[in-house]
Structures are given as C-alpha cells and as structure tokens.
Amino acid sequence: MSTTNETSTQPERKKVIFSAIQPSGTITLGNYLGALKNWIALQDEFRCIFALADLHAITVRQEPAKFRHNTLEAYALLLACGIDLEKSIFFIQSHVHTHAELAWILNCYTQFGELSRMTQFKDKSAKHADNINVGLFAYPSLMAADILLYQADLVPVGADQKQHLELSRDIAARFNGAYSPTFTIPDPYIPKTGARIMSLQDPTKKMSKSDENANGWIALLDKPEDIMRKFKRAVTDSDGGVRYAEGKDGVNNLMGIYSCVTEKRYEQIETEFEGKGYGDFKTAVAEAVIEHLRPIQERYAQLIQDKAYLQSCYAESAQKALSISQRTLSKVMKKIGFLPG
C-alpha cells in the first residue's frame, strides 16, 4: 500500500477592510473620487464590510424626516456606485446593536486625555459651540468599536481620520494587554492612487458640501447642465496652459478630476490639451464627469423607487454584520467577566 503526500492548498484568507461614511445628506464628487470609488475597487481583493454611520451623525442635531430620507438616499446611491452585496456587506450602523454596546465598553478603556486631544473634537466644538455633547467627545470610541467588532485588518483613512485610527489601535492594544489577544490591531489602508479633490472655487480647500459657494462642489446627483455650469466657472489661473505645476492649484485640481474619471495620466492630459485654452479643458472635464456619473444616476433613479428592495438589502446585511460582530462582543464580555445571560 503506497501513500502519497499531498499538500492541501487552502485559499489564502482575504484580509478584512472596514469603512463607513455618514449619511449626512449630499454625497459630493470629492467623496466619491476620494473614497467611494476606491471602495468599489477593493471588493475583489478584500473582504469588505461597509456601513452607513448614522449613529455618528447624531452628534449634530438631525431633523428626523430629513435624516431618514438622507439615510435611504445614501444607501441607494452607494449601491448605485457599485457596492456589490454578493461580495460585500453593507449595513446601516444603528441596525446592528453591537456597535453601541461595544462603544460603551471601550469608553471604559479609553482615557479622558486621549479623547480631549482629538483634533476633530476641537474643530467640531468650535463649529457647534451650542451643542458640545458627550457623543461628540466620545465619537472616537464608537469609531473604534465599528472597526474592532469585525477584526478589521485594514481601514481606509484620509488625513482627517488618521488620529482616530491611531486611537483605535491604542485601545485594542490596551484591551489585549489587559486580558489576552482579543482584537486585531488594524492598519491604515493607503490606496495605490489616492485622490484629494479640492473646491472648484477655492482649490486650496477640500471640496465640501458645507462650502458657502455652491459652485465649489459637485453633487453625485447634480444634473448635467449644473455640472457643466460649475466646471465652466471653476477657478484656474492666468497662465493659460494645461499642465501640472506648482502654483497652478485650480488646473491641478481639474487635471486630478479628469485623470480619475478617464484614467488618463497627467502626461497624456497635457498632450491632449496642448495649444488649447482653459475653456476647452473645462468643457472636457465636465463632459467626462457627466458621462462617468450617468450610469450611477440612472441606477440610483431605479433603486430609490424600490423601497422594498432597499429594505431587504440593508436588513440582510445587518443580519450578517450582527452575526460577525456578536462573536467579538461575546468574547469581550466573557473576558471582562460579565455573567452570561
């Protein structure tokens, strides 16, 4: 009787990526090109868990009917952008009770001094001086819970969230040290090609829907004629040449947008518009953005009409998220010493 040694080839475990966005109304082209477009690209390589962070949104007072509308709209729009529920989990944070439960526990493993040093707390306190609530202060503990519940290996972060991720890592390490390894220590995920989209009216500032000048930002659901008008009014410079260079913030920003939606390199863009003026360039950027957003807008229009389908999607995803996160929460509670129910 002969035996053969066979090497079992187990498929490599996909790393887990967690990312969330607040359903705070309009999603801009900056949000999409800076983060959401990357979410879509990650789905084949990683096990992606995405959330609408509606619990985070209530640190600022919300008007209930508008809040519900914004949440549903954001859910439909992100599906339209390309989140694939066959590959990813995409749920609404408040539908998964483990987030609030672990957040309370992590509050007790987070130092007051750590939270008081958070830059975003200082910034938002200044903006909302009449409502500096405990939720605003403890916001990073909830963010840590969001990430650690799913044993996330990686978290896509922008510059404004790096401090929160560092705190999440510190909290996880502190808990692991006090008991035993419980949480995966998450690393930041830096996309191969990042996009920081700036205001069309003030290219030294990030594109934001809070910009007082509505011509400074593009919403994903803007009509084609509005997109064209805003790009035609975009700030450039007196140089007249379409080239990427220091001191040409407006043109650099437009080139970045054009590159993102056409996948053309800057050198190709410079060659394409050699000898042409900014008018031609702005029109081309606007047309490229309009065409890129067209299928998203069409898909969104279909989805938002089918409330039952959307509900089935977020309910099923919430059940999957609860199943995963409950395992982590149960382990945490057992280690702390809570009496099982």
Side-chain angles (χ1 to χ4, degrees), residues 35-49:
L36 302 180
K37 191 167 180 279
N38 289 329
W39 283 16
I40 310 312
L42 296 172
Q43 294 180 104
D44 291 325
E45 187 178 351
F46 300 101
R47 186 182 180 202
C48 295
I49 300 174

Side-chain angles (χ1 to χ4, degrees), residues 75-329:
Y75 194 87
L77 187 50
L78 266 63
L79 287 182
C81 286
I83 289 182
D84 185 345
L85 297 181
E86 295 293 319
K87 299 175 181 177
S88 306
I89 295 173
F90 177 38
F91 65 96
I92 297 171
Q93 185 188 27
S94 63
H95 294 176
V96 184
H97 59 79
T98 47
H99 287 250
E101 292 174 54
L102 184 60
W104 169 251
I105 291 172
L106 296 186
N107 277 337
C108 302
Y109 291 83
T110 308
Q111 299 304 302
F112 184 90
E114 290 175 314
L115 293 177
S116 64
R117 286 192 292 274
M118 294 290 111
T119 304
Q120 277 206 344
F121 172 68
K122 296 173 185 174
D123 293 345
K124 290 189 176 182
S125 296
K127 285 182 184 176
H128 304 281
D130 59 335
N131 184 27
I132 305 174
N133 56 70
V134 174
L136 190 63
F137 185 71
Y139 176 104
S141 297
L142 176 57
M143 184 178 286
D146 297 336
I147 297 164
L148 300 179
L149 275 170
Y150 300 96
Q151 306 294 347
D153 299 291
L154 299 165
V155 181
V157 287
D160 57 344
Q161 297 292 354
K162 283 182 180 176
Q163 196 179 28
H164 287 165
L165 182 60
E166 281 303 316
L167 180 61
S168 299
R169 289 169 53 86
D170 290 344
I171 295 169
R174 182 176 298 137
F175 192 94
N176 289 352
Y179 299 97
S180 60
T182 307
F183 297 121
T184 299
I185 308 293
D187 287 317
Y189 175 79
I190 309 300
K192 295 180 182 69
T193 54
R196 184 173 170 82
I197 306 303
M198 313 306 281
S199 165
L200 299 180
Q201 291 298 308
D202 182 356
T204 63
K205 295 180 180 176
K206 192 175 176 182
M207 182 180 285
S208 170
K209 64 180 180 294
S210 61
D211 191 333
E212 291 179 3
N213 189 339
N215 289 313
W217 51 277
I218 303 287
L220 287 197
L221 297 177
D222 271 352
K223 294 176 182 176
E225 57 267 29
D226 292 329
I227 294 173
M228 180 63 72
R229 175 176 49 79
K230 290 179 181 181
F231 273 112
K232 283 187 173 181
R233 293 179 179 177
V235 169
T236 48
D237 54 54
S238 58
D239 176 61
V242 178
R243 56 190 176 82
Y244 195 92
E246 188 175 346
K248 292 173 66 70
D249 295 336
V251 174
N252 294 348
N253 188 40
L254 292 176
M255 288 181 71
I257 293 170
Y258 193 59
S259 175
C260 281
V261 297
T262 64
E263 299 186 351
K264 292 179 180 178
R265 299 188 309 276
Y266 286 178
E267 301 81 31
Q268 292 175 292
I269 297 169
E270 289 174 0
T271 301
E272 181 181 350
F273 292 97
E274 189 173 355
K276 295 181 181 179
Y278 287 155
D280 291 336
F281 180 48
K282 290 179 184 180
T283 298
V285 177
E287 288 174 346
V289 169
I290 289 165
E291 286 308 307
H292 188 85
L293 296 184
R294 191 185 305 280
I296 293 173
Q297 293 183 351
E298 289 173 353
R299 177 64 175 149
Y300 169 79
Q302 295 171 340
L303 288 169
I304 202 65
Q305 295 300 318
D306 195 344
K307 305 290 194 296
Y309 173 73
L310 291 173
Q311 184 176 10
S312 70
C313 289
Y314 62 66
E316 185 176 340
S317 276
Q319 282 302 313
K320 290 178 180 177
L322 180 62
S323 176
I324 297 167
S325 60
Q326 187 64 63
R327 290 198 291 272
T328 299
L329 181 62

